[in-house]
Amino acid sequence: MIKALREQTGAGFSDVKAALTEADGNMEQATVILRKKGLAAAGKKAGRVTAEGTIVARVEGHVGVLVEVNCETDFVGRNEVFQRFASEIAKVITQSKANSVEELMAEQWPGSDEPVSQKVAEQIASIKENISIRRFARYEAPANATIGTYIHGGGKIGVMVEVVAQSGSTGAHLDEVAKDIAMHIAAAEPRFLRREDVTEKDLEIEREIARDAALKSGKPENIVEKMVSGKMEKFYAEACLLEQPYIRDDKATVTQYLQRRGKESGCELVVTRFTRYKLGEGIEKRSEDFAAEVASYMK
């Protein structure tokens, strides 16, 4: 019942539980109680598609966060209140140990006795659009590492990357390298860190495509195999960060760039992980026109 009422109203766990208790389990009465408290205002908006919004990055010491917070319209996504709330969410995550959005939503908001889900519901009621925390990544970097971030297009693309100095000292040069790599990732869209990270499923698909194209050329089998090998090397160079041509010097790979900067700094630099988010990717956006949308609200 708590789950059903939360989905219906968008109110927080503790508020829904209290309302159901007060209403002796009567769902309709509990909804009325929540509405009277202004906590069910988000209910009608809870099912709306959220494909706009912003991506926020935050680094505090050796903790880095990248989070995508969504809303319904680009207008609200650029709103100062929404942007500030998204930044607050990023700050909350830096202090959190949650491993998923579900766990995060159930945690208490710092300095409050309310859960994060309730704060989101309050923002929905205030902004009058559905809001969702779609996904986040949280890094805790070792002492010999730095976390670089880059936000492009006012929050349309966000990147977080961890760079470790395997030997030698850390310093401003490490921060600069991490920022450079983050910008490269934003532009080049790598899918994997290194070729060893490519999944077997992806390899099978790429080999099948390469073999099909080679066979259609009418070449003999031994030549086909060479062509497939060549196509796979090209795939690695496109999909794997460390093998991509570096955006500021396409004659060098990212690995070679790291080697050069490491040599200049007197230490070996290694990229250990990265996260790249593109706002709204994979979300089917609404195709309704404005007039149809207004008409739907009048029903």
Side-chain angles (χ1 to χ4, degrees):
M1 290 178 70
I2 290 173
K3 180 182 179 183
L5 191 55
R6 287 190 67 193
E7 291 175 349
Q8 179 182 325
T9 64
F13 179 91
S14 59
D15 294 300
V16 166
K17 183 179 179 181
L20 281 168
T21 301
E22 184 178 339
D24 293 325
N26 186 303
M27 292 282 282
E28 291 185 4
Q29 185 60 33
T31 302
V32 171
I33 292 170
L34 289 170
R35 289 184 64 188
K36 286 180 178 178
K37 293 181 178 179
L39 297 174
K44 293 183 179 179
K45 305 172 181 68
R48 296 184 192 169
V49 175
T50 53
E52 301 295 342
T54 192
I55 296 169
V56 178
R58 183 181 181 90
V59 178
E60 290 185 14
H62 285 277
V63 176
V65 165
L66 189 70
V67 59
E68 178 178 352
V69 183
N70 295 140
C71 58
E72 296 178 54
T73 64
D74 182 58
F75 177 77
V76 167
R78 290 182 278 108
N79 178 278
E80 184 179 340
V81 174
F82 175 82
Q83 288 282 337
R84 185 165 58 247
F85 181 65
S87 296
E88 290 174 356
I89 290 291
K91 184 176 181 180
V92 168
I93 297 172
T94 61
Q95 303 168 33
S96 169
K97 296 297 181 182
N99 295 312
S100 67
V101 172
E102 291 73 21
E103 291 181 6
L104 176 68
M105 295 289 274
E107 288 188 346
Q108 276 195 328
W109 188 275
S112 168
D113 58 358
E114 296 179 338
V116 172
S117 61
Q118 180 58 32
K119 289 293 184 181
V120 173
E122 289 171 3
Q123 285 297 313
I124 293 173
S126 173
I127 293 177
K128 296 180 174 56
E129 274 199 13
N130 193 16
I131 296 172
S132 64
I133 303 171
R134 185 186 182 198
R135 52 183 173 172
F136 68 85
R138 183 180 185 275
Y139 292 175
E140 288 191 36
N144 63 331
T146 192
I147 296 172
T149 63
Y150 176 66
I151 299 297
H152 180 74
K156 300 297 185 184
I157 294 174
V159 174
M160 180 166 64
V161 61
E162 181 183 81
V163 181
V164 174
Q166 297 282 46
S167 58
S169 60
T170 60
H173 68 280
L174 192 57
D175 293 335
E176 182 183 330
V177 170
K179 182 66 174 240
D180 286 346
I181 295 298
M183 293 178 69
H184 170 94
I185 293 168
E189 301 183 55
R191 294 168 56 194
F192 310 96
L193 176 58
R194 56 179 69 84
R195 64 171 61 191
E196 291 80 9
D197 297 330
V198 181
T199 65
E200 191 59 39
K201 181 179 179 181
D202 283 301
L203 287 175
E204 289 176 3
I205 291 172
E206 293 302 323
R207 288 195 189 102
E208 182 181 342
I209 294 171
R211 172 170 282 278
D212 183 67
L215 287 172
K216 286 179 179 177
S217 69
K219 304 290 183 183
E221 184 65 24
N222 63 322
I223 301 298
V224 166
E225 288 304 316
K226 290 181 180 179
M227 292 174 68
V228 170
S229 296
K231 289 282 188 180
M232 291 307 297
E233 288 301 313
K234 184 178 180 181
F235 164 73
Y236 288 131
E238 292 175 349
C240 300
L241 171 64
L242 297 180
E243 300 189 35
Q244 288 181 327
Y246 180 51
I247 55 171
R248 290 184 173 175
D249 179 9
D250 59 9
K251 294 181 180 178
T253 63
V254 170
T255 293
Q256 290 169 333
Y257 164 76
L258 289 168
Q259 291 171 341
R260 177 173 63 81
R261 293 304 306 268
K263 187 176 181 180
E264 293 171 357
S265 307
C267 62
E268 182 183 357
L269 302 180
V270 178
V271 176
T272 50
R273 51 182 168 170
F274 73 88
T275 300
R276 182 186 188 275
Y277 289 158
K278 182 179 180 181
L279 182 66
E281 61 186 342
I283 300 176
E284 185 176 349
K285 298 189 178 184
R286 294 181 303 177
S287 58
E288 314 171 59
D289 60 26
F290 181 71
E293 183 177 357
V294 171
S296 71
Y297 291 154
M298 295 175 67
K299 291 180 180 179

